[in-house]
Amino acid sequence: MAKKRFKVESSCPQCGCSAVAHLSEEEIKEKYGDVANVHMECGECMLKYSSPMASACPEWDEACKMKTK
Ligand SMILES: [Zn+2]
């Protein structure tokens, strides 16, 4: 059974390098929990930054809200 994977996308504010990760629901929860911001580390300049979940992964943001009571 294939699990749905969410595309989490963001770009580094310092060098503009973009990062894309494909994560399952479990992986997102484990990595980011229910926070509104995703924490990313740029693979180019190693800058740690956060990006709003709503823009990094609108799909997850929506799915997340649907489950929130
Ligand atoms: Zn960077």
Side-chain angles (χ1 to χ4, degrees):
M1 187 168 102
K3 273 189 189 164
K4 179 165 175 56
R5 296 187 88 78
F6 294 88
K7 187 179 167 198
V8 180
E9 194 168 19
S10 66
S11 59
C12 175
Q14 185 162 275
C15 68
C17 177
S18 63
V20 181
H22 291 91
L23 302 169
S24 70
E25 188 180 330
E26 286 78 15
E27 285 167 334
I28 292 186
K29 279 182 185 162
E30 195 180 309
K31 258 180 113 107
Y32 307 119
D34 285 326
V35 294
N37 293 291
V38 293
H39 297 278
M40 312 287 289
E41 186 176 329
C42 178
E44 287 297 316
C45 67
M46 308 312 275
L47 178 78
K48 289 193 170 83
Y49 61 97
S50 65
S51 146
M53 182 60 93
S55 72
C57 185
E59 209 180 5
W60 169 251
D61 195 53
E62 248 173 57
C64 192
K65 275 173 196 158
M66 281 190 285
K67 272 174 223 157
T68 311
K69 280 182 243 167

